[in-house]
Amino acid sequence: MAQPRIIIVGGGFGGLAAAKALKNTPVEIILIDRANHHLFQPLLYQVATAVLTPSQIATPMRSILRKQKNTTVILGEVTGIDKERKCIFASNADRENVPIVYDYLILATGSTHSYFGHNEFAEYAPGMKSLADAVASRNKILQAFEQAEAEEDPSRHRDLLTFILVGAGPTGVELAGALAVLVRTTLKSEFRRIDPASARIVLVDMAPRVLPPFSEKLSKAAKQRLEKLGVEVRLGHSVDQIDADGIVVAGERITSKTVIWTAGVSPSPAGKWLNVETDRAGRVRIQKDLTVPGHPEILVVGDTASLDQNGKPLPGVAQVAIQQGRYAAKVIHSRVMGTPPPGPFSYFDKGSMAVVGKGFALLQSGKVQASGFGAWLTWAFVHLQFLATSSLRLSVFLQWVWTYVTGQRGSRLIVNHHGTQPVKVAEVAPRKPAAA
Ligand SMILES: Cc1cc2nc3c(=O)[nH]c(=O)nc-3n(C[C@H](O)[C@H](O)[C@H](O)COP(=O)(O)OP(=O)(O)OC[C@H]3O[C@@H](n4cnc5c(N)ncnc54)[C@H](O)[C@@H]3O)c2cc1C
């Protein structure tokens, strides 16, 4: 008899956890993802600020699952689902909307960044969700310094060396801190016409405080730390405009050539594919066993799912996705093996952490609240544990030690389609003759 086929869409935290947990179940698993790699998103900001290389936070899924014989990895983009025929539609470079049938379906397609209805901002303020996004931000940041060095008109330095981050959640705060350390230490003595340390870093958010998921006390500690690093934190006002010249916030224009979007996220279109009830954000409303109402064969996990616990929706964080992925595997295992199903899903919150610059982090777990170097060591240890392979853990650990001790970063390369983008000739003024 043919084994039941399980399609898992998405090899992020939730999908990969589900696939691994089904390793010993007698099923055929097809894991489909539009990327060929599993990405450790919490460290994307370190790629954007040149601490780590892209390959240090991402691993080919094929390689992670190479020993798992019941799993086939397919590179493809899922474009729709037919619930009644029990098939998904996937496209790749050669073929479009190919139907693939399933007995069980796990949707783990995550989320993307949301411009809160202002999609026109995307052109000027790239988000931070994929490896390509992080490399694009790194290009933008490093390119700004190169252009400023080539520019002899000091009045233009200010605009080129102003960096604006929109969104003071964990990504914005971590990026602002890492950027501040980059400009004040790593780049310090490498330029002749500009002083990288004079760069202006502005973190903007409409919320009244940074890091809303953390307690007020830790949020205050984060803000103080950012200000100590020279980051300008501007809270309580939403951004009215983003264009080629910078942003407008609270009626004031801040001129900048580098704006990065680190604000909200919106879920994948899984709810539309399924044509089922979603929450206001568009996440699929699931039941306590993570299935879609009326469809016990479809489970949704991670950022693209909406489930309340203790009257509150579960947050879009990696731990929720991992725990749900493992739970979804248990549900399917029990059905296939004819064993009793697990009890309702219950998220175990291990806590939250965020880094602010060098050697300083925040930690909040139950009643424990800490900030400083100890929290930073815990942060580093925990993040190393969650990297996909032991070679990554070793390589990231060594890079962090090297960066901590020397201030040097691993990957300060500007990479684009044309090689290093030439600075526009018109912008390079002739050198002034040295004063006699
Ligand atoms: C910059 C950043 C920093 C973060 N920092 C933290 C942190 O410090 N701590 C924390 O707990 N959480 C953090 N998060 C959130 C965390 O990464 C997410 O909650 C988690 O990744 C959700 O897991 P997931 O499996 O639902 O989705 P993801 O991990 O996003 O995986 C979704 C997968 O689905 C694939 N996919 C999507 N659509 C399709 C499609 N149509 N066809 C095929 N494949 C598709 C994607 O390529 C991706 O591989 C961060 C997120 C970001 C963006």
Side-chain angles (χ1 to χ4, degrees):
M1 274 219 340
Q3 291 180 332
R5 177 186 282 175
I6 296 155
I7 293 185
I8 301 175
V9 188
F13 285 107
L16 194 61
K20 284 179 169 177
L22 284 164
K23 183 177 177 187
N24 297 317
T25 306
V27 289
E28 177 200 5
I29 301 170
I30 298 181
L31 175 67
I32 304 183
D33 201 300
R34 61 185 173 199
N36 81 331
H37 50 265
H38 169 76
L39 176 63
F40 194 79
Q41 293 174 23
L43 292 178
L44 271 175
Y45 81 95
Q46 295 212 354
V47 170
T49 50
V51 177
L52 297 175
T53 63
S55 62
Q56 284 175 307
I57 66 160
T59 315
M61 286 170 208
R62 207 170 280 298
S63 136
I64 297 172
L65 295 166
R66 67 190 182 283
K67 292 190 180 150
Q68 191 163 321
K69 299 293 177 210
N70 66 352
T71 305
T72 304
V73 177
I74 300 286
L75 181 66
E77 167 119 27
V78 169
T79 50
I81 297 167
D82 185 333
K83 289 181 305 209
E84 312 316 321
R85 282 171 60 202
K86 290 192 187 170
C87 73
I88 59 128
F89 299 97
S91 303
N92 65 14
D94 295 331
R95 297 191 295 164
E96 283 203 356
N97 300 325
V98 178
I100 311 176
V101 294
Y102 60 81
D103 295 297
Y104 295 97
L105 175 64
I106 300 179
L107 288 171
T109 38
S111 53
T112 181
H113 36 255
S114 158
Y115 288 89
F116 304 125
H118 286 283
N119 289 344
E120 70 278 11
F121 291 172
E123 189 183 344
Y124 308 104
M128 181 76 66
K129 190 68 191 158
S130 67
L131 215 43
D133 292 336
V135 172
S137 292
R138 186 183 74 189
N139 284 345
K140 235 169 144 38
I141 292 166
L142 297 177
Q143 185 77 38
F145 286 98
E146 296 303 332
Q147 279 183 264
E149 178 78 340
E151 171 63 63
E152 283 204 347
D153 176 358
S155 68
R156 290 209 61 223
H157 289 167
R158 187 87 179 139
D159 300 350
L160 286 166
L161 297 184
T162 296
F163 300 90
I164 299 174
L165 310 174
V166 184
T171 306
V173 166
E174 294 190 325
L175 190 57
L179 191 53
V181 177
L182 173 77
V183 304
R184 317 268 187 254
T185 56
T186 313
L187 301 182
K188 201 167 62 182
S189 54
E190 297 192 1
F191 292 82
R192 301 292 170 260
R193 295 175 175 181
I194 56 162
D195 174 13
S198 70
R200 182 180 179 203
I201 301 166
V202 188
L203 180 65
V204 186
D205 202 304
M206 64 187 289
R209 61 188 180 96
V210 302
L211 297 174
F214 287 79
S215 69
E216 287 209 20
K217 183 179 148 205
L218 290 181
S219 166
K220 204 169 151 199
K223 183 166 176 275
Q224 280 170 353
R225 186 73 184 181
L226 284 169
E227 286 169 346
K228 199 170 167 202
L229 289 166
V231 176
E232 230 176 283
V233 183
R234 309 190 61 161
L235 301 169
H237 295 286
S238 59
V239 170
D240 301 320
Q241 196 175 325
I242 304 181
D243 54 34
D245 295 323
I247 68 167
V248 177
V249 60
E252 183 197 341
R253 175 166 282 283
I254 306 177
T255 312
S256 163
K257 294 290 169 210
T258 313
V259 183
I260 299 174
W261 186 261
T262 52
V265 291
S266 70
S268 77
K272 289 193 185 122
W273 299 334
L274 292 169
N275 193 18
V276 292
E277 191 195 343
T278 60
D279 65 10
R280 274 177 52 202
R283 302 184 302 167
V284 178
R285 281 214 189 274
I286 50 170
Q287 310 185 106
K288 289 277 180 207
D289 63 355
L290 311 190
T291 60
V292 171
H295 287 274
E297 74 286 4
I298 304 178
L299 297 94
V300 188
V301 303
D303 279 8
T304 214
S306 170
L307 183 67
D308 290 357
Q309 187 167 303
N310 304 327
K312 282 199 286 189
L314 290 174
V317 296
Q319 269 304 318
V320 170
I322 292 170
Q323 291 178 29
Q324 289 187 334
R326 288 180 187 150
Y327 178 94
K330 275 191 199 159
V331 170
I332 292 175
H333 179 87
S334 70
R335 301 243 191 98
V336 171
M337 303 306 284
T339 53
F345 175 77
S346 173
Y347 170 54
F348 175 58
D349 185 358
K350 295 179 183 168
S352 312
M353 284 182 278
V355 170
V356 194
K358 184 180 175 183
F360 187 97
L362 312 168
L363 188 160
Q364 181 171 295
S365 177
K367 290 193 176 145
V368 179
Q369 291 188 23
S371 59
F373 188 70
W376 182 74
L377 283 179
T378 313
W379 171 89
F381 178 74
V382 169
H383 280 68
L384 285 174
Q385 292 302 309
F386 280 100
L387 285 168
T389 63
S390 33
S391 65
L392 285 190
R393 287 191 274 279
L394 180 64
S395 130
V396 170
F397 171 71
L398 292 175
Q399 183 61 57
W400 281 351
V401 172
W402 179 253
T403 300
Y404 189 86
V405 174
T406 66
Q408 291 306 307
R409 306 219 165 181
S411 181
R412 279 174 39 208
L413 308 176
I414 299 172
V415 185
N416 56 44
H417 293 307
H418 316 290
T420 303
Q421 218 170 48
V423 176
K424 282 188 208 126
V425 175
E427 285 174 2
V428 187
R431 243 192 182 299
K432 285 188 196 118

